[in-house]
Every structure is written in C-alpha cells, then in structure tokens.
Amino acid sequence: MIQYSHHVHGGGADFYAAVDRMGLEGMVSKREESSYRSGDTEAWVKTKCYEEVDFEVAGVQRTPGSAPLALMATRDAERRYVGSANIALTKAMRERLYAKVQEGKGSPPRGADKPDAEWIKPGLVGRVKTLKREDKLRHATLRAIREAKP
C-alpha cells in the first residue's frame, strides 16, 4: 500500500523520537530536492525503530550457500519459537555457540517447524536486535550470547 504523508521540515532526531513513541515501524527521510525513484538511492533513507531483547537460543540452522541463523524462543515456561536471527557474534562467541550445538541435542520449542535445524539444550541466552513491538522476530540479528542464570 502506498500512503502519502505530509512533509515535516526540521530536526530528524526529534521526529524519529516521535515516530518511536507512536509505535511506528520507522520513518523515511529524503533530500528536499529529490524526487521518488525506485531502487537504491542515497537521496532517500528508511530508519527503523529497533530494540534489543533477550531470548533463548534454541538452535541453529545451517543451509549450504546461506548464512547460518540462530533459532530463538521465549525464555518463559511456554518456550515458544519467535523466529530466526542472523548471527553477528565475535569469533569467541561463535565458537561457544557451535560448541553447544556439538554438546548434544535439545528439543525444538513450541511452534518451530524447522526439520533441518540443530536444536540445543536450554541454557543459552541470546541478545537480539529486532524491530520493536513485533510478536515474531523481524530484521533480527543475534549480537551476544551468555549462559542463563539458574
């Protein structure tokens, strides 16, 4: 859907803060003199509203020819699958994650339908950057991991 919006001249940081408070996904900024063109351009920029949230790292999906994905679940008793995140960890963190994969098999969280996934035992918490106010992960990146506290 295409929707026309009125322009707002002035401070982008203040406008972004208002967009975030209103619960919107983000905003589009453009140079005043630029006209719309499809495709990538430096004249138009979309800025999204993100947050960082802790989830359980439930598994990993490694598909030949694709970047590996971390499969994430809620950390409550329901242990519900919430989606996948691109893995953006330091080398040491990646090694810890893959060591967990090698340690043994865990069970998939509720709602996960990933037959080629490598599930790990609960106990690993991942810090995920994702779009705000979403039930499922969108544009998500796994940024850090740590052992869960008992």
Side-chain angles (χ1 to χ4, degrees):
M1 176 170 93
I2 297 174
Q3 180 178 347
Y4 176 78
S5 299
H6 294 282
H7 0 332
V8 177
H9 293 275
D14 292 337
F15 189 77
Y16 176 81
V19 164
D20 190 26
R21 280 193 308 275
M22 288 187 281
L24 301 174
E25 182 177 310
M27 67 182 201
V28 176
S29 306
K30 73 173 201 71
R31 292 193 176 121
E32 189 171 0
E33 70 281 355
S34 69
S35 57
Y36 179 75
R37 291 204 166 106
S38 63
D40 290 338
T41 175
E42 291 182 12
W44 292 67
V45 177
K46 183 172 184 180
T47 307
K48 297 178 181 183
C49 299
Y50 286 95
E51 64 183 339
E52 288 195 1
V53 184
D54 287 345
F55 290 103
E56 176 189 326
V57 181
V60 174
Q61 186 173 24
R62 296 187 270 194
T63 306
S66 298
L69 298 172
L71 305 174
M72 311 304 292
T74 58
R75 296 182 60 212
D76 54 16
E78 191 177 345
R79 196 171 176 256
R80 180 179 47 85
Y81 177 71
V82 293
S84 61
N86 291 311
I87 298 173
L89 301 172
T90 64
K91 181 180 178 188
M93 286 182 191
R94 274 194 319 274
E95 288 171 357
R96 277 182 39 216
L97 173 60
Y98 293 129
K100 286 285 188 188
V101 171
Q102 296 304 316
E103 277 179 18
K105 302 297 177 196
S107 58
R110 195 177 74 108
D113 184 20
K114 303 280 183 189
D116 57 343
E118 299 171 88
W119 300 110
I120 64 174
K121 294 177 184 173
L124 193 62
V125 176
R127 178 63 105 166
V128 177
K129 180 181 174 184
T130 185
L131 285 179
K132 281 187 169 183
R133 296 173 281 279
E134 297 285 333
D135 290 336
K136 295 279 187 179
L137 297 180
R138 287 188 53 219
H139 303 283
T141 305
L142 177 63
R143 300 171 62 93
I145 57 171
R146 63 178 167 75
E147 299 296 323
K149 295 177 182 170

